[in-house]
């Protein structure tokens, strides 16, 4: 997801990957960063401790860059039936 969005928008993507134990140290908590896995766009925490769909991340990027938000992609049958 991230390489595709980095190609689509003029943004810098920084990926931090460490063993889970390093995210549970006092030093990490002192940095006031979100609990992994997380996605931040600018200073905003988009998700923390769970997965997120591509569209939500793309909307956050567009808001940060003050661009028009992308339309949501095709919905599945269940989403069409229940309006979600």
């Amino acid at each position: 997801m991230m390489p595709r969005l980095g190609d689509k928008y003029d943004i810098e993507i920084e990926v931090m990957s460490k063993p889970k134990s390093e995210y549970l140290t006092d030093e990490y908590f002192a940095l006031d960063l979100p609990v992994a896995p997380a996605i931040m766009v600018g200073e905003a925490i988009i998700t923390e401790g769970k997965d997120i769909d591509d569209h939500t991340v793309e909307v956050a990027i567009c808001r940060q860059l003050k661009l028009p938000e992308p339309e949501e992609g095709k919905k599945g049958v269940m989403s069409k039936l229940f309006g979600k």
Side-chain angles (χ1 to χ4, degrees), residues 38-57:
I39 295 176
M40 293 179 69
V41 175
E43 297 295 318
I45 298 170
I46 306 306
T47 185
E48 181 175 12
K50 61 182 177 180
D51 290 334
I52 191 169
D53 64 276
D54 295 4
H55 183 260
T56 303
V57 175

Side-chain angles (χ1 to χ4, degrees), residues 24-71:
L24 302 175
T25 64
D26 291 337
E27 292 81 16
Y28 183 80
F29 287 115
L31 296 173
D32 200 30
L33 293 172
V35 176
I39 295 176
M40 293 179 69
V41 175
E43 297 295 318
I45 298 170
I46 306 306
T47 185
E48 181 175 12
K50 61 182 177 180
D51 290 334
I52 191 169
D53 64 276
D54 295 4
H55 183 260
T56 303
V57 175
E58 190 169 0
V59 167
I61 290 170
C62 288
R63 286 179 182 163
Q64 177 73 22
L65 298 174
K66 295 179 175 56
L67 297 173
E69 293 181 14
E71 291 184 24

Side-chain angles (χ1 to χ4, degrees), residues 6-26:
D7 291 341
K8 189 171 181 179
Y9 301 101
D10 185 25
I11 57 174
E12 179 182 327
I13 296 174
E14 180 179 349
V15 177
M16 297 173 58
S17 180
K18 301 176 183 185
K20 187 174 180 175
S21 60
E22 287 190 36
Y23 291 108
L24 302 175
T25 64
D26 291 337

